[in-house]
Each structure stands twice: as structure tokens, then as C-alpha cells.
Coordinates of all heavy atoms in Angstrom, one line a residue:
M1 N 27.8 -31.7 -53.9 CA 29.2 -31.8 -53.8 C 29.7 -32.8 -54.8 O 29.3 -34.0 -54.8 CB 29.5 -32.3 -52.4 CG 31.0 -32.4 -52.1 SD 31.3 -32.2 -50.4 CE 30.3 -33.4 -49.6
A2 N 30.5 -32.4 -55.7 CA 31.0 -33.3 -56.7 C 32.1 -34.2 -56.0 O 32.6 -33.9 -54.9 CB 31.7 -32.6 -57.8
Y3 N 32.3 -35.4 -56.7 CA 33.4 -36.2 -56.2 C 34.7 -35.8 -56.9 O 34.7 -35.1 -57.9 CB 33.1 -37.7 -56.5 CG 32.4 -38.3 -55.3 CD1 31.2 -37.8 -54.9 CD2 32.9 -39.4 -54.6 CE1 30.5 -38.3 -53.8 CE2 32.2 -39.9 -53.5 CZ 31.0 -39.4 -53.1 OH 30.4 -40.0 -52.0
K4 N 35.8 -36.2 -56.4 CA 37.1 -36.0 -57.0 C 37.9 -37.3 -56.9 O 37.6 -38.1 -56.1 CB 37.9 -34.8 -56.4 CG 38.3 -35.1 -54.9 CD 39.1 -33.9 -54.4 CE 39.4 -34.2 -52.9 NZ 40.2 -33.1 -52.3
I5 N 39.0 -37.4 -57.7 CA 39.9 -38.5 -57.6 C 41.2 -38.1 -57.1 O 41.8 -37.1 -57.6 CB 40.0 -39.2 -59.0 CG1 38.6 -39.8 -59.4 CG2 41.1 -40.2 -59.1 CD1 38.5 -40.4 -60.8
T6 N 41.7 -38.8 -56.1 CA 42.9 -38.4 -55.5 C 44.2 -39.0 -56.2 O 44.0 -39.9 -57.1 CB 43.0 -38.9 -54.0 OG1 43.1 -40.3 -54.0 CG2 41.7 -38.4 -53.3
E7 N 45.3 -38.7 -55.7 CA 46.6 -39.2 -56.2 C 46.8 -40.7 -56.0 O 47.7 -41.3 -56.5 CB 47.8 -38.4 -55.7 CG 47.9 -38.5 -54.2 CD 49.0 -37.6 -53.7 OE1 49.5 -36.7 -54.4 OE2 49.4 -37.7 -52.5
D8 N 45.9 -41.3 -55.2 CA 46.0 -42.7 -54.9 C 45.5 -43.5 -56.1 O 45.7 -44.7 -56.2 CB 45.1 -43.1 -53.7 CG 45.7 -42.5 -52.4 OD1 46.9 -42.3 -52.3 OD2 44.9 -42.4 -51.4
C9 N 44.9 -42.9 -57.1 CA 44.4 -43.5 -58.3 C 45.5 -44.3 -59.0 O 46.6 -43.8 -59.2 CB 43.8 -42.5 -59.2 SG 43.3 -43.2 -60.8
I10 N 45.2 -45.6 -59.3 CA 46.1 -46.4 -60.0 C 45.8 -46.6 -61.5 O 46.3 -47.4 -62.2 CB 46.3 -47.8 -59.4 CG1 44.9 -48.5 -59.3 CG2 46.9 -47.7 -58.0 CD1 44.9 -50.0 -58.8
S11 N 44.9 -45.7 -62.0 CA 44.4 -45.7 -63.4 C 44.0 -47.0 -63.9 O 44.3 -47.4 -65.0 CB 45.6 -45.1 -64.3 OG 45.8 -43.8 -63.9
C12 N 43.2 -47.7 -63.1 CA 42.7 -49.0 -63.5 C 41.5 -48.9 -64.5 O 41.2 -49.8 -65.3 CB 42.2 -49.8 -62.3 SG 40.7 -49.2 -61.6
G13 N 40.8 -47.7 -64.5 CA 39.8 -47.4 -65.4 C 38.4 -48.0 -65.0 O 37.4 -47.8 -65.7
A14 N 38.3 -48.6 -63.9 CA 37.0 -49.3 -63.5 C 35.9 -48.3 -63.3 O 34.7 -48.6 -63.6 CB 37.3 -50.0 -62.2
C15 N 36.2 -47.1 -62.9 CA 35.1 -46.1 -62.6 C 34.6 -45.5 -63.8 O 33.4 -45.1 -63.8 CB 35.7 -45.0 -61.6 SG 37.1 -44.2 -62.3
E16 N 35.3 -45.4 -64.9 CA 34.9 -44.5 -66.0 C 33.6 -45.0 -66.6 O 32.7 -44.1 -66.8 CB 36.0 -44.6 -67.1 CG 35.7 -43.6 -68.2 CD 36.9 -43.6 -69.3 OE1 37.7 -44.5 -69.2 OE2 36.8 -42.7 -70.1
S17 N 33.4 -46.3 -66.9 CA 32.2 -46.7 -67.5 C 31.0 -46.8 -66.5 O 29.9 -47.0 -66.9 CB 32.5 -48.1 -68.1 OG 32.9 -49.0 -67.1
E18 N 31.3 -46.7 -65.2 CA 30.3 -46.7 -64.2 C 29.5 -45.4 -64.1 O 28.4 -45.4 -63.6 CB 30.8 -47.1 -62.9 CG 31.4 -48.5 -62.8 CD 30.3 -49.6 -62.9 OE1 29.2 -49.4 -62.4 OE2 30.6 -50.7 -63.4
C19 N 30.1 -44.3 -64.5 CA 29.5 -43.0 -64.3 C 28.5 -42.7 -65.4 O 28.8 -42.6 -66.6 CB 30.6 -41.9 -64.4 SG 29.9 -40.3 -64.1
K20 N 27.2 -42.6 -65.0 CA 26.2 -42.4 -66.0 C 26.1 -41.0 -66.5 O 25.4 -40.7 -67.5 CB 24.8 -42.8 -65.3 CG 24.7 -44.2 -64.8 CD 24.3 -45.1 -65.9 CE 22.8 -45.2 -66.0 NZ 22.3 -46.1 -67.1
N21 N 26.9 -40.1 -65.9 CA 26.9 -38.7 -66.4 C 28.2 -38.5 -67.3 O 28.4 -37.4 -67.7 CB 26.9 -37.8 -65.2 CG 25.6 -37.7 -64.5 OD1 24.6 -38.0 -65.0 ND2 25.7 -37.4 -63.2
D22 N 28.9 -39.5 -67.6 CA 30.2 -39.4 -68.3 C 31.1 -38.3 -67.8 O 31.7 -37.5 -68.5 CB 29.9 -39.0 -69.8 CG 29.2 -40.2 -70.5 OD1 29.6 -41.4 -70.2 OD2 28.4 -40.0 -71.5
A23 N 31.2 -38.3 -66.4 CA 32.0 -37.2 -65.8 C 33.4 -37.6 -65.6 O 34.3 -36.8 -65.3 CB 31.4 -36.9 -64.4
I24 N 33.7 -38.9 -65.8 CA 35.1 -39.4 -65.5 C 35.9 -39.6 -66.8 O 35.4 -40.2 -67.8 CB 35.0 -40.7 -64.7 CG1 34.2 -40.5 -63.4 CG2 36.4 -41.2 -64.4 CD1 34.0 -41.7 -62.6
S25 N 37.1 -39.2 -66.8 CA 38.0 -39.4 -68.0 C 39.4 -39.6 -67.5 O 39.8 -39.3 -66.4 CB 37.9 -38.2 -69.0 OG 38.3 -37.1 -68.3
E26 N 40.2 -40.2 -68.4 CA 41.6 -40.5 -68.1 C 42.4 -39.2 -68.2 O 42.4 -38.5 -69.2 CB 42.2 -41.5 -69.1 CG 43.5 -42.0 -68.6 CD 44.0 -43.2 -69.5 OE1 43.3 -43.5 -70.5 OE2 45.0 -43.8 -69.2
G27 N 43.1 -38.9 -67.1 CA 44.0 -37.7 -67.1 C 45.5 -38.1 -67.3 O 45.7 -39.3 -67.6
D28 N 46.4 -37.2 -67.1 CA 47.8 -37.5 -67.3 C 48.3 -38.5 -66.3 O 48.9 -39.5 -66.6 CB 48.6 -36.2 -67.3 CG 48.4 -35.4 -68.5 OD1 48.0 -35.9 -69.5 OD2 48.5 -34.1 -68.4
A29 N 48.1 -38.2 -65.0 CA 48.7 -39.0 -63.9 C 47.6 -39.9 -63.3 O 47.9 -40.9 -62.6 CB 49.3 -38.1 -62.9
A30 N 46.3 -39.5 -63.4 CA 45.2 -40.2 -62.8 C 44.0 -39.9 -63.5 O 43.9 -39.0 -64.4 CB 45.1 -39.8 -61.3
Y31 N 42.9 -40.7 -63.2 CA 41.6 -40.3 -63.8 C 41.1 -39.1 -63.1 O 41.5 -38.7 -62.0 CB 40.7 -41.5 -63.6 CG 40.8 -42.5 -64.7 CD1 42.0 -43.3 -64.9 CD2 39.8 -42.8 -65.7 CE1 42.1 -44.2 -65.9 CE2 39.9 -43.7 -66.7 CZ 41.1 -44.4 -66.8 OH 41.2 -45.3 -67.8
V32 N 40.2 -38.4 -63.9 CA 39.7 -37.1 -63.3 C 38.2 -37.0 -63.5 O 37.6 -37.7 -64.3 CB 40.3 -35.9 -64.1 CG1 41.8 -35.7 -63.7 CG2 40.1 -36.0 -65.6
I33 N 37.6 -36.3 -62.6 CA 36.1 -36.1 -62.6 C 35.8 -34.6 -62.9 O 36.4 -33.7 -62.3 CB 35.5 -36.4 -61.2 CG1 35.6 -37.9 -60.9 CG2 34.0 -36.0 -61.1 CD1 35.2 -38.4 -59.6
D34 N 34.9 -34.4 -63.9 CA 34.5 -33.1 -64.2 C 33.4 -32.7 -63.3 O 32.3 -33.2 -63.3 CB 34.0 -33.1 -65.7 CG 33.5 -31.7 -66.1 OD1 33.4 -30.8 -65.3 OD2 33.2 -31.6 -67.3
P35 N 33.7 -31.7 -62.4 CA 32.7 -31.3 -61.4 C 31.4 -30.8 -62.0 O 30.3 -30.8 -61.3 CB 33.4 -30.3 -60.5 CG 34.5 -29.8 -61.3 CD 34.9 -30.9 -62.3
E36 N 31.5 -30.3 -63.2 CA 30.2 -29.8 -63.9 C 29.3 -30.9 -64.3 O 28.1 -30.7 -64.6 CB 30.6 -29.0 -65.2 CG 31.5 -27.8 -64.9 CD 30.8 -26.8 -64.1 OE1 29.6 -26.6 -64.3 OE2 31.4 -26.2 -63.2
K37 N 29.8 -32.2 -64.3 CA 29.0 -33.3 -64.7 C 28.7 -34.3 -63.6 O 27.9 -35.2 -63.7 CB 29.7 -34.1 -65.8 CG 29.8 -33.3 -67.1 CD 30.4 -34.2 -68.2 CE 30.4 -33.6 -69.6 NZ 31.0 -34.5 -70.6
C38 N 29.4 -34.1 -62.5 CA 29.2 -35.1 -61.3 C 28.0 -34.6 -60.5 O 28.0 -33.5 -60.0 CB 30.5 -35.1 -60.5 SG 30.2 -36.2 -59.0
T39 N 27.1 -35.5 -60.3 CA 25.9 -35.2 -59.4 C 26.0 -36.0 -58.1 O 25.0 -36.1 -57.4 CB 24.6 -35.6 -60.1 OG1 24.6 -37.0 -60.4 CG2 24.5 -34.8 -61.4
E40 N 27.2 -36.6 -57.8 CA 27.3 -37.5 -56.7 C 26.4 -38.7 -56.9 O 26.0 -39.4 -56.0 CB 26.8 -36.9 -55.3 CG 27.8 -36.0 -54.7 CD 27.2 -35.5 -53.3 OE1 26.9 -36.3 -52.5 OE2 27.1 -34.3 -53.2
C41 N 26.1 -38.9 -58.2 CA 25.1 -40.0 -58.6 C 23.7 -39.7 -58.3 O 22.8 -40.6 -58.5 CB 25.6 -41.4 -58.1 SG 27.0 -42.1 -59.1
V42 N 23.4 -38.5 -57.8 CA 22.0 -38.2 -57.6 C 21.2 -38.3 -58.9 O 21.7 -37.9 -60.0 CB 21.9 -36.7 -57.1 CG1 20.5 -36.2 -57.3 CG2 22.2 -36.7 -55.6
G43 N 20.1 -39.0 -58.9 CA 19.3 -39.3 -60.1 C 19.6 -40.7 -60.7 O 18.7 -41.2 -61.4
W44 N 20.7 -41.3 -60.4 CA 21.0 -42.6 -60.9 C 21.2 -43.7 -59.9 O 20.6 -44.8 -60.0 CB 22.4 -42.5 -61.7 CG 22.3 -41.7 -63.0 CD1 23.0 -40.5 -63.2 CD2 21.6 -42.0 -64.2 NE1 22.7 -40.1 -64.5 CE2 21.9 -41.0 -65.1 CE3 20.7 -43.0 -64.5 CZ2 21.3 -41.0 -66.4 CZ3 20.2 -43.0 -65.8 CH2 20.5 -42.0 -66.7
F45 N 21.9 -43.4 -58.8 CA 22.2 -44.4 -57.8 C 22.1 -43.8 -56.4 O 22.2 -42.6 -56.2 CB 23.6 -45.0 -58.0 CG 23.9 -45.6 -59.3 CD1 24.7 -44.9 -60.3 CD2 23.4 -46.8 -59.7 CE1 24.9 -45.5 -61.5 CE2 23.6 -47.4 -60.9 CZ 24.4 -46.7 -61.8
E46 N 21.9 -44.7 -55.4 CA 21.8 -44.3 -54.1 C 23.2 -43.9 -53.5 O 23.3 -43.1 -52.6 CB 21.2 -45.4 -53.2 CG 19.7 -45.6 -53.5 CD 19.1 -46.6 -52.6 OE1 19.6 -46.9 -51.5 OE2 18.1 -47.2 -53.0
E47 N 24.2 -44.5 -54.0 CA 25.6 -44.2 -53.6 C 26.4 -43.8 -54.8 O 26.1 -44.2 -55.9 CB 26.2 -45.4 -52.9 CG 25.4 -46.0 -51.7 CD 25.4 -45.0 -50.5 OE1 26.4 -44.2 -50.4 OE2 24.5 -45.1 -49.7
A48 N 27.5 -43.2 -54.5 CA 28.5 -42.8 -55.6 C 29.1 -44.0 -56.2 O 29.8 -44.7 -55.5 CB 29.5 -41.8 -55.1
R49 N 28.8 -44.3 -57.5 CA 29.3 -45.5 -58.1 C 30.8 -45.6 -58.2 O 31.5 -46.6 -58.0 CB 28.7 -45.7 -59.5 CG 27.3 -46.2 -59.5 CD 27.2 -47.6 -58.9 NE 27.8 -48.6 -59.8 CZ 28.2 -49.8 -59.4 NH1 28.1 -50.1 -58.1 NH2 28.8 -50.7 -60.2
C50 N 31.4 -44.4 -58.5 CA 32.9 -44.4 -58.7 C 33.6 -44.8 -57.3 O 34.5 -45.6 -57.3 CB 33.4 -43.1 -59.1 SG 32.8 -41.7 -58.1
A51 N 33.0 -44.3 -56.2 CA 33.6 -44.7 -54.9 C 33.4 -46.2 -54.6 O 34.2 -46.8 -54.0 CB 33.0 -43.8 -53.8
E52 N 32.2 -46.7 -55.0 CA 31.9 -48.1 -54.8 C 32.8 -49.0 -55.5 O 33.2 -50.1 -55.0 CB 30.5 -48.4 -55.2 CG 29.4 -47.9 -54.2 CD 28.0 -48.3 -54.5 OE1 27.7 -48.5 -55.7 OE2 27.2 -48.4 -53.6
V53 N 33.2 -48.7 -56.8 CA 34.0 -49.6 -57.6 C 35.5 -49.4 -57.5 O 36.2 -50.3 -57.8 CB 33.6 -49.6 -59.1 CG1 32.1 -49.9 -59.2 CG2 33.9 -48.3 -59.7
C54 N 35.9 -48.3 -56.9 CA 37.3 -48.0 -56.9 C 38.0 -49.0 -55.9 O 37.7 -49.0 -54.7 CB 37.6 -46.6 -56.5 SG 39.3 -46.2 -56.4
P55 N 39.0 -49.7 -56.4 CA 39.7 -50.7 -55.5 C 40.6 -50.1 -54.5 O 41.1 -50.7 -53.5 CB 40.5 -51.6 -56.5 CG 40.8 -50.7 -57.7 CD 39.6 -49.8 -57.8
V56 N 41.0 -48.8 -54.7 CA 41.9 -48.2 -53.7 C 41.4 -47.0 -53.0 O 42.1 -46.2 -52.3 CB 43.2 -47.8 -54.5 CG1 44.0 -49.0 -55.0 CG2 42.9 -46.8 -55.6
G57 N 40.0 -46.7 -53.1 CA 39.4 -45.6 -52.4 C 39.8 -44.3 -52.8 O 39.9 -43.3 -52.0
A58 N 40.1 -44.1 -54.1 CA 40.6 -42.9 -54.6 C 39.5 -41.9 -55.0 O 39.8 -40.7 -55.2 CB 41.5 -43.1 -55.8
A59 N 38.3 -42.3 -55.1 CA 37.2 -41.4 -55.5 C 36.5 -41.0 -54.2 O 35.9 -41.8 -53.4 CB 36.2 -42.1 -56.4
V60 N 36.6 -39.7 -53.9 CA 36.1 -39.2 -52.6 C 35.3 -37.9 -52.8 O 35.5 -37.2 -53.8 CB 37.3 -38.9 -51.6 CG1 38.0 -40.2 -51.3 CG2 38.2 -37.8 -52.2
P61 N 34.4 -37.5 -51.9 CA 33.7 -36.2 -52.0 C 34.7 -35.1 -52.0 O 35.7 -35.1 -51.2 CB 32.8 -36.2 -50.7 CG 32.8 -37.6 -50.3 CD 34.0 -38.3 -50.7
D62 N 34.4 -34.0 -52.8 CA 35.3 -32.9 -52.9 C 34.6 -31.7 -52.1 O 33.7 -31.1 -52.6 CB 35.5 -32.5 -54.3 CG 36.4 -31.3 -54.5 OD1 36.9 -30.8 -53.5 OD2 36.6 -30.9 -55.7
S63 N 35.1 -31.4 -50.9 CA 34.5 -30.4 -50.1 C 34.6 -29.0 -50.7 O 33.9 -28.1 -50.3 CB 35.0 -30.4 -48.7 OG 36.4 -30.2 -48.8
D64 N 35.4 -28.8 -51.7 CA 35.5 -27.5 -52.4 C 34.4 -27.3 -53.4 O 34.2 -26.2 -54.0 CB 36.9 -27.4 -53.2 CG 38.0 -27.2 -52.2 OD1 37.8 -26.8 -51.1 OD2 39.2 -27.5 -52.6
N65 N 33.7 -28.4 -53.7 CA 32.6 -28.3 -54.7 C 31.3 -28.7 -54.0 O 30.6 -29.7 -54.3 CB 32.8 -29.2 -55.9 CG 33.7 -28.6 -56.9 OD1 33.4 -27.5 -57.4 ND2 34.7 -29.2 -57.3
S66 N 30.9 -28.0 -53.0 CA 29.7 -28.3 -52.2 C 28.4 -27.8 -52.8 O 28.3 -26.7 -53.3 CB 29.9 -27.6 -50.8 OG 28.9 -28.1 -49.9
E67 N 27.5 -28.8 -52.9 CA 26.2 -28.5 -53.5 C 25.1 -29.2 -52.7 O 25.3 -30.2 -52.1 CB 26.1 -29.0 -55.0 CG 27.0 -28.2 -55.9 CD 27.3 -29.1 -57.1 OE1 28.1 -30.1 -57.0 OE2 26.8 -28.8 -58.2
T68 N 23.9 -28.6 -52.8 CA 22.7 -29.2 -52.1 C 22.2 -30.3 -53.0 O 22.4 -30.4 -54.2 CB 21.6 -28.2 -51.8 OG1 21.1 -27.8 -53.1 CG2 22.1 -27.0 -51.0
K69 N 21.4 -31.2 -52.4 CA 20.7 -32.3 -53.1 C 19.9 -31.6 -54.3 O 19.8 -32.2 -55.4 CB 19.8 -33.1 -52.2 CG 20.5 -34.0 -51.3 CD 20.8 -35.3 -52.0 CE 21.5 -36.3 -51.0 NZ 22.1 -37.4 -51.6
E70 N 19.2 -30.5 -54.0 CA 18.4 -29.8 -55.0 C 19.2 -29.4 -56.2 O 18.9 -29.5 -57.3 CB 17.6 -28.6 -54.4 CG 16.5 -29.0 -53.4 CD 17.0 -29.5 -52.1 OE1 18.2 -29.2 -51.7 OE2 16.3 -30.2 -51.4
Q71 N 20.4 -28.8 -55.9 CA 21.3 -28.4 -56.9 C 21.8 -29.6 -57.8 O 21.9 -29.5 -59.0 CB 22.5 -27.6 -56.4 CG 22.1 -26.2 -55.8 CD 23.3 -25.6 -55.1 OE1 24.0 -26.2 -54.3 NE2 23.6 -24.3 -55.5
L72 N 22.1 -30.7 -57.1 CA 22.6 -31.9 -57.8 C 21.5 -32.4 -58.7 O 21.8 -32.9 -59.8 CB 23.0 -32.9 -56.8 CG 24.3 -32.5 -56.0 CD1 24.5 -33.4 -54.8 CD2 25.5 -32.5 -56.9
L73 N 20.2 -32.4 -58.2 CA 19.1 -32.9 -59.0 C 18.9 -32.0 -60.2 O 18.7 -32.5 -61.3 CB 17.8 -33.0 -58.2 CG 16.6 -33.6 -58.8 CD1 16.9 -35.0 -59.2 CD2 15.4 -33.6 -57.9
E74 N 19.0 -30.7 -60.1 CA 18.9 -29.8 -61.2 C 20.0 -30.1 -62.2 O 19.8 -30.1 -63.4 CB 19.0 -28.3 -60.7 CG 17.8 -27.8 -60.2 CD 16.6 -28.0 -61.1 OE1 16.6 -27.6 -62.3 OE2 15.6 -28.6 -60.7
K75 N 21.2 -30.3 -61.7 CA 22.4 -30.7 -62.6 C 22.1 -32.0 -63.4 O 22.3 -32.1 -64.6 CB 23.6 -30.8 -61.8 CG 24.9 -30.8 -62.6 CD 26.1 -31.3 -61.8 CE 26.6 -30.3 -60.7 NZ 27.9 -30.8 -60.2
F76 N 21.5 -33.0 -62.7 CA 21.1 -34.2 -63.3 C 20.1 -34.0 -64.4 O 20.3 -34.5 -65.5 CB 20.5 -35.1 -62.3 CG 19.8 -36.3 -62.8 CD1 20.4 -37.5 -63.1 CD2 18.4 -36.3 -63.1 CE1 19.8 -38.6 -63.7 CE2 17.7 -37.3 -63.7 CZ 18.4 -38.5 -64.0
K77 N 19.2 -33.1 -64.2 CA 18.1 -32.8 -65.2 C 18.7 -32.1 -66.4 O 18.4 -32.4 -67.6 CB 17.0 -32.0 -64.6 CG 16.1 -32.8 -63.7 CD 15.1 -31.9 -63.0 CE 14.2 -32.7 -62.1 NZ 13.3 -31.9 -61.3
K78 N 19.7 -31.2 -66.2 CA 20.3 -30.5 -67.3 C 21.2 -31.5 -68.1 O 21.3 -31.4 -69.4 CB 21.2 -29.4 -66.8 CG 20.4 -28.2 -66.5 CD 21.3 -27.0 -66.2 CE 20.4 -25.8 -65.7 NZ 21.1 -25.0 -64.7
L79 N 21.9 -32.4 -67.4 CA 22.8 -33.3 -68.1 C 22.0 -34.4 -68.8 O 22.6 -35.0 -69.8 CB 23.7 -34.0 -67.1 CG 24.8 -33.1 -66.5 CD1 25.4 -33.8 -65.3 CD2 25.9 -32.8 -67.5
N80 N 20.8 -34.7 -68.4 CA 20.1 -35.9 -68.9 C 18.7 -35.5 -69.3 O 17.7 -35.9 -68.6 CB 20.1 -37.0 -67.9 CG 21.5 -37.5 -67.4 OD1 22.2 -38.2 -68.1 ND2 21.9 -37.0 -66.2
P81 N 18.5 -34.7 -70.3 CA 17.2 -34.2 -70.7 C 16.2 -35.3 -70.9 O 16.5 -36.3 -71.6 CB 17.4 -33.4 -72.0 CG 18.9 -33.2 -72.0 CD 19.6 -34.2 -71.2
G82 N 15.0 -35.2 -70.3 CA 14.0 -36.2 -70.5 C 14.1 -37.4 -69.7 O 13.2 -38.3 -69.6
Q83 N 15.2 -37.6 -69.0 CA 15.5 -38.7 -68.1 C 14.9 -38.5 -66.7 O 15.2 -37.5 -66.1 CB 17.0 -39.0 -68.0 CG 17.3 -40.1 -67.0 CD 17.0 -41.5 -67.6 OE1 17.3 -41.8 -68.7 NE2 16.4 -42.3 -66.7
E84 N 14.0 -39.4 -66.3 CA 13.4 -39.3 -65.0 C 14.5 -39.8 -64.0 O 15.1 -40.9 -64.2 CB 12.1 -40.1 -64.9 CG 10.9 -39.5 -65.6 CD 10.5 -38.2 -65.0 OE1 10.5 -38.1 -63.8 OE2 10.2 -37.3 -65.8
P85 N 14.7 -39.1 -62.8 CA 15.5 -39.6 -61.8 C 15.0 -41.0 -61.3 O 13.8 -41.1 -61.1 CB 15.6 -38.6 -60.8 CG 14.4 -37.7 -61.0 CD 14.1 -37.8 -62.5
V86 N 15.9 -41.9 -61.0 CA 15.5 -43.2 -60.4 C 15.0 -43.0 -59.0 O 15.6 -42.3 -58.2 CB 16.7 -44.1 -60.5 CG1 16.4 -45.5 -59.9 CG2 17.2 -44.3 -61.9
D87 N 13.9 -43.7 -58.7 CA 13.3 -43.5 -57.3 C 14.4 -43.8 -56.3 O 15.2 -44.8 -56.4 CB 12.2 -44.5 -57.1 CG 10.9 -44.0 -57.8 OD1 10.9 -42.8 -58.2 OD2 10.0 -44.8 -57.9
G88 N 14.4 -43.0 -55.2 CA 15.3 -43.3 -54.1 C 16.7 -42.8 -54.3 O 17.6 -43.1 -53.4
T89 N 16.9 -42.1 -55.3 CA 18.3 -41.6 -55.6 C 18.4 -40.1 -55.5 O 19.4 -39.5 -55.9 CB 18.8 -42.0 -57.0 OG1 18.0 -41.3 -58.0 CG2 18.7 -43.5 -57.2
Y90 N 17.4 -39.4 -54.9 CA 17.5 -38.0 -54.8 C 16.7 -37.5 -53.6 O 16.1 -38.3 -53.0 CB 17.0 -37.3 -56.1 CG 15.6 -37.6 -56.5 CD1 14.5 -36.9 -56.1 CD2 15.3 -38.8 -57.2 CE1 13.2 -37.2 -56.4 CE2 14.0 -39.2 -57.5 CZ 13.0 -38.4 -57.1 OH 11.7 -38.7 -57.4
Ligands
SF4_1 S1 29.8 -39.7 -58.0 FE1 28.6 -40.6 -59.6 S2 28.2 -38.9 -61.0 FE2 30.0 -38.3 -59.7 S3 31.8 -39.0 -60.9 FE3 31.3 -40.6 -59.5 S4 30.0 -42.0 -60.7 FE4 30.0 -40.0 -61.8
SF4_2 S1 38.5 -46.9 -60.1 FE1 39.8 -45.8 -58.7 S2 41.9 -46.4 -59.2 FE2 40.6 -47.0 -60.9 S3 40.7 -45.3 -62.4 FE3 38.9 -44.9 -61.1 S4 39.7 -43.7 -59.3 FE4 41.5 -44.6 -60.4

């Protein structure tokens, strides 16, 4: 399940540099997450970094983009060739 950013986003930019998959970018009205690049932080962190750093709780799981841990790990491997997933993050 990819994360998404809601309209509560105040465009502070804090989440963008935290995403190791480069899934977050600045949009017109709010920051946006590319679901093709979001692994829920599987492979990098135990929790979703964008949700952890967001001061207004605007980064949330997107139930329309539901995926299994195995699918998220495969996505991580495709996005980060040669990178071993960090222990405890998948
Ligand atoms: S959950 Fe992780 S991978 Fe997905 S957008 Fe947030 S920081 Fe990036
Ligand atoms: S950290 Fe939260 S408020 Fe700031 S840009 Fe990201 S989603 Fe928007």
C-alpha cells in the first residue's frame, strides 16, 4: 500500500528529502507521492518516514493502492538495484 498526501499538507517540504525512494515531489497545491515509487518504506525503515516527519499528519496510507509486503519488497528491489534491504524493514 503506497502512502498518499492529503489536502492537509502545508507544503513545508520536510518529507521530500526523507524518502529514500525519491517518491515525493512538490505539486501545485500540496506535495505528492508517486505510488509507483512508494514502498511504505519497506526496505529502508520500519515505519513510513514521511508520516513520521509530517507536522500535520498529511501523509497517510492509501487504501486504493493496496499491496502485500512481498510486492513492496519487489518494488524496493526494482527501484534500488543492488541495494540490500535493511534488516527489520521488510
Ligand atoms: S512511505 Fe516511505 S517510501 Fe513511501 S513516500 Fe513515504 S517516505 Fe517515501
Ligand atoms: S511533511 Fe507533511 S506538510 Fe510537509 S510537505 Fe510533506 S506532507 Fe506536506
Side-chain angles (χ1 to χ4, degrees):
M1 184 152 55
Y3 270 59
K4 65 178 178 182
I5 292 175
T6 71
E7 60 187 14
D8 292 336
C9 174
I10 56 172
S11 295
C12 72
C15 56
E16 186 177 13
S17 59
E18 294 291 328
C19 181
K20 298 276 274 177
N21 292 331
D22 290 330
I24 304 175
S25 59
E26 189 172 8
D28 290 336
Y31 274 65
V32 291
I33 292 174
D34 180 348
E36 298 297 320
K37 293 185 175 180
C38 176
T39 64
E40 279 183 61
C41 283
V42 162
W44 291 116
F45 301 106
E46 291 183 22
E47 304 289 337
R49 279 298 289 157
C50 53
E52 283 186 332
V53 301
C54 181
V56 294
V60 298
D62 181 3
S63 56
D64 287 340
N65 275 308
S66 189
E67 293 157 289
T68 65
K69 286 276 184 196
E70 289 73 23
Q71 287 174 311
L72 292 168
L73 187 58
E74 281 308 306
K75 197 195 288 190
F76 167 86
K77 288 178 179 172
K78 278 189 188 145
L79 288 167
N80 303 284
Q83 175 73 45
E84 287 296 320
V86 177
D87 282 350
T89 66
Y90 57 95

